[in-house]
Amino acid sequence: MKQLITLTFFLLTFTAFAQKPCEYSANVTDSIGTYKVTNEYLMSEKYFGGTFDYIFFSLAKTDGMPTLNLQLIQKSKDFIKANCFDKNSKVFLQLENGKIVTLIHMDRESCGTLIHDEKGFDNRINTGIFMFMKENFEELKKSPISIMRIKYLTTTEDYIVKRELTSELNTKVYNPNTYFMENIRCVE
């Protein structure tokens, strides 16, 4: 009987601490190299005055180099100011342990694409690719994120990173503050 209880306890403990498998939207290996990218994950959702702003993260690994893909989607019936990425753009992540991690944008200017939909909304979609600095990569595994700052070409925006976010877009529940702790292993 003791063995059965011990075995049950072991199995429950093992499943409770098991990591979920990595899910990729692309995982390609060919003669040119390898490329894998995780599914997009909602990090921030903001609705104010008829304007919707969404920030999605995905992690990519191209020939051994991990990067962060940041996608900014803005939706409004009013004028949408372009938040452009350039060679000086950065993402600053303040961790709950007090450390700040900096990610540097790859040297390619991007102001996104403006699309007008049939409901009268303008949608601006902009994607930036950011590189990790070696000395900060390990810190992202250890501590949740509390604040995210994005430096665009002409402005800087701050975002509070929530522990739990129930999306109005798709009603899913996300845990953005532990995104790197749970997913960075997928691109190591």
Side-chain angles (χ1 to χ4, degrees):
M1 185 67 174
K2 285 184 180 181
Q3 291 175 338
L4 183 60
I5 292 172
T6 304
L7 180 63
T8 304
F9 177 74
F10 175 74
L11 290 174
L12 289 174
T13 304
F14 181 73
T15 57
F17 292 106
Q19 294 179 333
K20 63 181 180 177
C22 295
E23 295 179 14
Y24 298 101
S25 60
N27 190 355
V28 180
T29 300
D30 59 17
S31 61
I32 299 172
T34 61
Y35 176 75
K36 55 173 78 172
V37 62
T38 61
N39 293 333
E40 292 181 338
Y41 195 86
L42 183 65
M43 294 298 291
S44 177
E45 182 178 70
K46 189 167 48 171
Y47 173 70
F48 184 78
T51 300
F52 299 87
D53 290 333
Y54 305 99
I55 295 177
F56 291 92
F57 279 5
S58 61
L59 293 168
K61 186 173 185 179
T62 308
D63 295 328
M65 185 174 101
T67 56
L68 172 70
N69 296 339
L70 184 151
Q71 184 176 61
L72 172 65
I73 301 174
Q74 299 168 289
K75 182 175 184 168
S76 181
K77 288 190 176 182
D78 297 328
F79 174 77
I80 299 175
K81 179 182 84 167
N83 285 329
C84 301
F85 295 118
D86 73 339
K87 63 180 180 175
N88 297 316
S89 293
K90 294 180 179 153
V91 173
F92 300 98
L93 302 170
Q94 182 170 339
L95 306 180
E96 287 183 6
N97 66 8
K99 297 190 178 180
I100 296 177
V101 174
T102 304
L103 288 83
I104 301 169
H105 187 260
M106 294 185 96
D107 193 14
R108 195 177 88 202
E109 190 169 311
S110 169
C111 292
T113 305
L114 188 64
I115 302 167
H116 188 74
D117 69 18
E118 66 279 351
K119 295 179 182 177
F121 282 94
D122 286 331
N123 300 278
R124 181 174 300 278
I125 302 168
N126 193 6
T127 302
I129 300 172
F130 293 84
M131 298 178 292
F132 295 96
M133 296 172 66
K134 266 187 179 176
E135 61 270 8
N136 293 330
F137 192 77
E138 291 297 317
E139 290 299 326
L140 293 169
K141 297 179 193 177
K142 299 176 187 174
S143 179
I145 308 165
S146 58
I147 300 172
M148 172 174 55
R149 173 175 284 172
I150 302 174
K151 182 186 179 306
Y152 299 102
L153 175 64
T154 58
T155 188
T156 300
E157 298 274 338
D158 290 335
Y159 303 89
I160 302 296
V161 181
K162 297 180 179 180
R163 289 189 187 281
E164 185 173 285
L165 170 64
T166 303
S167 173
E168 292 181 30
L169 180 66
N170 60 13
T171 66
K172 285 186 179 179
V173 176
Y174 295 89
N175 302 99
N177 74 324
T178 57
Y179 174 74
F180 289 104
M181 294 172 67
E182 295 171 5
N183 295 289
I184 205 158
R185 64 185 167 75
C186 298
V187 294
E188 284 189 295

